[in-house]
Structure formats: C-alpha cells, structure tokens
C-alpha cells in the first residue's frame, strides 16, 4: 500500500519529478537516466531509491544491470501521484530536453538490434546465434509430428529414434549390429523411452510386420545395404497404405576412403538411381532433393528422398 505522505515527500524534489516523467514510457537503466538528464550517477541512484521506497517506481535486474520504470502495479493512490508528477514535470524547462534525449535513447536501443541483424543479413544462417541449433529446430519440428508408428532402419544407437520416440506412438529401431542394438536398447531404457524398441535385423528384410508402420526412415543407412533396391522394396512392404518413406543418404561421391573409414558399401547414390528404385518398389509422389553440402572436403552432399505408398 502506498502512503500519501511518502509520495508527497518523494515528489517534493524537481529532479524526481523529471525522473518519474522519464520512466513513464519505458524502463531505463541508471546510465540511460544519466544520459537523459545529465545528472550524476549517485544522485540518480539516491533519487531512484526514494521513489522506489514510496512505491512510485519499480526495478528489474537483468544480468549486471538494473532497469527502472514507474510502478506498473501501483494502487490507485500511487497512480494518481505518478500522473501528477508527470503533469508537474511538463511545466519544467528541462522537460522538452529530457524527452528528446529519451526518444534518442529508445531509438538507439531499437537500432542496436537492427544494426546486428543488418550486418549479418545474407550470412545469418552461417553465423553463430546463441541458442540456435539444428537440435533445437529438430525438437521444434517434432511438435508438429502426429503420433506415428515409425521404423528407423539402420538406426545405429538411436540418435534419431530417441528424438522421434519422444513424440511418436511407437518407434522400432532396426540394426544388424548386435552390439549397437544392445547399447541402443540399454540407452532407451535408461532414458525411460518405453515406446522405443530395438530389434536386431537386416534392413533388406526388417523384422517388422507387413503394413504396420506409418513412416519408414533410412538415415545414412541405405549406402550400407548390399542391395539398396531390395531395402527400399522391404520398406514399402512394412508401410501401411498412405505411409511414407524418408531416406537421408549421400549424393554420389568419389571419396573412396569412405569404405574403410566409415564401412560404407556404396559411395552415395545418384538421384536418378534412387528415383528409379523407389518407383520400382511402388512408391508414388517421389521427391528427391539435395538438402545439405558440407563445407569441408570432400564436400559430402546429403540427399533427402521421399515417397508415399
Ligand atoms: C551410418 S550409421 C547410421 C545410423 C543412424 N541411422 C543415423 O543416422 O545416425 C549406419 C547404421 O546402419 C547399420 N547397418 C549397416 N548395414 C545394415 C544392414 N544391412 N541392416 C541393418 N542395419 C545395417 C550399421 O550397424 C549402423 O548402425
């Protein structure tokens, strides 16, 4: 509760009237108030203390700075005093100068953000942005995924499977490495993902019932298959009518060392081959796009292929 006596005392100084008038429009730091009024820092701090004490001004800390503003939760009495103070401040000779300075300070604040974004425009996607990551985008995109039954074929330790399991109805992760399946299953259990099941099997004949899943994913797995066309046919079989296949793989490349370095069976795929195999498997609405190119040599490019059963 504010007190009339305290408010009258707090407003009995012309500088404090100026400060109240400056803090009506937006919050300001002590430095900004100093810039607007050309008064000393310690004087401003003392005045702010008295105004706060009377409940006419509020403060908010952000990092190392404190911002002040007229009390936005003031009761009726305090609100009346704030309005009176502003009226009185308007009668002072300093008022117009204070307001011009205030406008400049607020405009500069807005510009600071714009200057940064103007500077990075055109390369914004490549510069560091605090908190911005593909992982975060992945979580965001997951929120728009309906509760699907998903088969992650050649799932590895389940990086993608785990992400999907947080949103989907069920995820079946298939891999032909017993060690990877064991590790992935343990990790899923530890993370409490009961709807994620690891199965040992080959992506050319996955241990999943026919026509039982909504989405089949092969992420960097197809180039490990002995017969990629057969793997795509197998994926078609386990999809429900209307189900979708998504293949992330490498665009055909000449980096021969990928065989020994990453155990790759194929050096990526030509888009035309992928398209043909998907068509032969029975898929409709086939779309194939290059979605990423690595900056470092050998500049691997990622293909995203999709089709509907
Ligand atoms: C490059 S990793 C991709 C893992 C995961 N999909 C990802 O995107 O992070 C390829 C995985 O496919 C598995 N794999 C290779 N040949 C396979 C096959 N014929 N059947 C099932 N899994 C296979 C490997 O064990 C490995 O875990």
């Amino acid at each position: 509760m504010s007190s009339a006596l305290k408010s009258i005392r707090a407003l009995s100084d012309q500088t404090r009237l100026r400060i109240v008038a400056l803090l009506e429009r937006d919050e300001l730091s002590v430095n900004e108030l100093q810039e607007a009024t050309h008064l000393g820092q310690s004087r401003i701090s003392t005045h702010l203390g008295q105004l706060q004490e009377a409940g006419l001004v509020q403060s908010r800390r952000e990092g190392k700075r404190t911002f002040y503003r007229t009390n936005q939760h003031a009761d009726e009495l305090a609100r009346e005093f704030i309005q009176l103070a502003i009226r009185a401040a308007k009668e002072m000779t300093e008022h117009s100068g204070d307001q011009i300075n205030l406008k400049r300070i607020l405009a500069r604040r807005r510009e600071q953000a714009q200057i940064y974004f103007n500077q990075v425009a055109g390369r914004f996607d490549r510069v560091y942005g605090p908190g911005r990551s593909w992982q975060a985008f992945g979580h965001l995109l997951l929120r728009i995924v309906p509760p699907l039954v998903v088969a992650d074929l050649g799932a590895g330790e389940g990086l993608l499977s785990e992400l999907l399991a947080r949103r989907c109805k069920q995820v079946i992760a298939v891999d032909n490495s017993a060690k990877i399946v064991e590790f992935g299953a343990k990790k899923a259990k530890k993370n409490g993902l009961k709807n994620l099941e690891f199965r040992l099997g080959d992506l050319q004949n996955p241990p999943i019932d026919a026509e039982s899943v909504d989405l089949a994913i092969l992420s960097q797995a197809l180039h490990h298959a002995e017969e990629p066309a057969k793997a795509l046919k197998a994926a078609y079989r386990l999809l429900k009518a209307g189900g979708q296949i998504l293949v992330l793989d490498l665009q055909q490349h000449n980096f021969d060392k990928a065989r020994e370095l990453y155990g790759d069976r194929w050096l990526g795929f030509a888009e035309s081959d992928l398209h043909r195999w998907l068509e032969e498997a029975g898929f409709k609405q086939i779309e194939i796009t290059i979605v990423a190119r690595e900056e470092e040599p050998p500049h691997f490019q990622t293909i995203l292929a999709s089709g509907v059963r």
Side-chain angles (χ1 to χ4, degrees):
M1 277 282 282
S2 62
S3 125
L5 197 57
K6 272 188 183 173
S7 296
I8 287 172
R9 266 205 212 111
L11 298 175
S12 65
D13 179 287
Q14 294 209 354
T15 305
R16 293 200 281 277
L17 298 179
R18 286 171 69 192
I19 291 176
V20 171
L22 281 165
L23 295 180
E24 174 62 359
R25 195 159 136 197
D26 210 328
E27 54 178 19
L28 296 175
S29 67
V30 172
N31 281 351
E32 288 167 331
L33 277 168
Q34 201 185 349
E35 194 183 330
T37 58
H38 302 297
L39 294 167
Q41 194 175 353
S42 70
R43 266 186 80 191
I44 290 177
S45 298
T46 310
H47 288 312
L48 283 170
Q50 284 165 317
L51 290 166
Q52 256 192 302
E53 167 75 20
L56 301 172
V57 160
Q58 65 183 43
S59 65
R60 177 181 73 86
R61 269 194 84 81
E62 195 181 77
K64 285 186 181 153
R65 290 212 282 179
T66 305
F67 290 93
Y68 297 88
R69 191 166 190 189
T70 48
N71 189 354
Q72 302 297 294
H73 312 286
D75 59 22
E76 209 181 319
L77 182 64
R79 274 206 307 274
E80 278 175 27
F81 275 111
I82 289 170
Q83 290 313 313
L84 264 176
I86 294 167
R87 264 174 67 182
K90 283 182 183 166
E91 293 173 10
M92 293 170 62
T93 47
E94 292 92 342
H95 183 72
S96 61
D98 285 357
Q99 292 302 312
I100 289 170
N101 290 339
L102 176 64
K103 264 192 196 159
R104 191 168 38 77
I105 289 165
L106 296 180
R108 189 184 56 210
R109 254 197 222 166
R110 283 192 299 273
E111 277 164 17
Q112 263 164 2
Q114 276 176 12
I115 285 169
Y116 169 74
F117 288 113
N118 284 342
Q119 272 172 357
V120 297
R123 56 189 178 92
F124 181 58
D125 286 356
R126 280 169 280 139
V127 297
Y128 167 72
R132 200 170 56 134
S133 67
W134 286 111
Q135 195 181 17
F137 284 147
H139 279 282
L140 178 144
L141 292 171
L142 266 183
R143 295 279 165 106
I144 52 177
V145 171
L148 304 171
V149 178
V150 180
D152 186 3
L153 307 169
E157 292 169 3
L159 189 66
L160 187 58
S161 296
E162 285 210 0
L163 197 61
L164 288 164
R166 288 172 206 281
R167 200 73 195 167
C168 292
K169 192 170 159 194
Q170 189 195 2
V171 179
I172 305 164
V174 175
D175 205 283
N176 70 348
S177 156
K179 271 197 173 169
I180 280 189
V181 166
E182 193 189 333
F183 183 86
K186 266 194 196 147
K187 191 152 69 80
K189 194 171 173 198
K190 193 172 135 223
N191 292 335
L193 296 166
K194 292 191 179 123
N195 58 341
L196 170 55
E197 187 193 342
F198 274 81
R199 294 184 190 171
L200 182 65
D202 197 293
L203 52 86
Q204 286 154 148
N205 187 21
I208 297 176
D209 289 342
E211 298 183 33
S212 65
V213 308
D214 303 295
L215 175 65
I217 294 176
L218 291 97
S219 167
Q220 302 305 336
L222 195 63
H223 61 251
H224 290 282
E226 270 310 308
E227 294 181 64
K230 193 172 167 193
L232 296 178
K233 277 186 185 145
Y236 184 88
R237 267 199 306 279
L238 50 92
L239 282 171
K240 297 175 192 169
Q244 207 186 359
I245 186 169
L246 291 175
V247 182
L248 275 175
D249 217 284
L250 294 175
Q251 158 85 311
Q252 196 165 42
H253 61 87
N254 296 319
F255 188 66
D256 213 41
K257 277 193 190 154
R259 296 186 209 275
E260 51 178 294
L261 285 178
Y262 312 119
D264 290 0
R265 168 72 179 79
W266 302 91
L267 299 182
F269 300 113
E271 289 161 74
S272 53
D273 284 338
L274 273 179
H275 198 284
R276 182 165 43 82
W277 295 331
L278 284 166
E279 213 167 46
E280 282 169 5
F283 286 104
K284 305 270 183 296
Q285 299 169 42
I286 297 165
E287 282 182 41
I288 300 183
T289 325
I290 306 276
V291 290
R293 181 179 192 270
E294 291 182 12
E295 297 203 344
E296 297 292 314
H299 304 293
F300 287 123
Q301 297 192 81
T302 307
I303 288 187
L304 172 61
S306 62
V308 176
R309 174 173 176 162

